[in-house]
Amino acid sequence: IEKLGGKLSSKRNFPWKTLPAELIRLGMIIRGYPEDVLLPGDFHTTSNKGIANLTLKETGILITALKAGSMQVKKVSEATQALLLTSEMPVLEGAPPAEDSAHRGARRLFANGQSDRLGLPRAKPSAAATRMKK
């Protein structure tokens, strides 16, 4: 975020619960958010502990995706920022689900807290997996 000229509102705590609003304030989006990781603001238990809700496995997946470049934070135009603010465009776009996933599309998270599965389509089976032996 800082590499793109943004500065989080708190240096002490990562704004996990308010990440969509924070990204919009900064004019940024996330693309390629991993499929098997809790969305910002969601929680596994009955209490929301912010980013501490992520399991160790989920934290590792996020770090790996950032390092590999499969998850990226992108700067957007002011026009796009307005679309994000009105939830006409997602602030977070997930990576496509695996080919064997029950979901047809990637997750998308909007400023209003709503999410859907109308993102990138599920990965197609590889040619090797679809060939039949003679």
Side-chain angles (χ1 to χ4, degrees), residues 43-118:
F43 46 94
H44 290 294
T45 61
T46 56
S47 64
N48 191 345
K49 300 176 183 176
I51 200 162
N53 278 310
L54 292 179
T55 64
L56 192 56
K57 179 181 178 184
E58 290 173 323
T59 303
I61 292 170
L62 275 179
I63 291 168
T64 300
L66 279 168
K67 285 183 177 179
S70 57
M71 182 174 86
Q72 300 175 343
V73 178
K74 303 251 184 198
K75 189 86 171 144
V76 297
S77 69
E78 285 185 29
T80 300
Q81 194 172 359
L83 295 173
L84 293 170
L85 191 56
T86 57
S87 295
E88 294 175 62
M89 192 173 164
V91 69
L92 183 147
E93 298 176 10
E99 63 186 60
D100 60 349
S101 172
H103 302 289
R104 297 181 81 177
R107 296 180 296 174
R108 302 186 309 167
L109 180 64
F110 296 85
N112 62 7
Q114 298 296 311
S115 63
D116 66 25
R117 285 263 179 198
L118 301 174

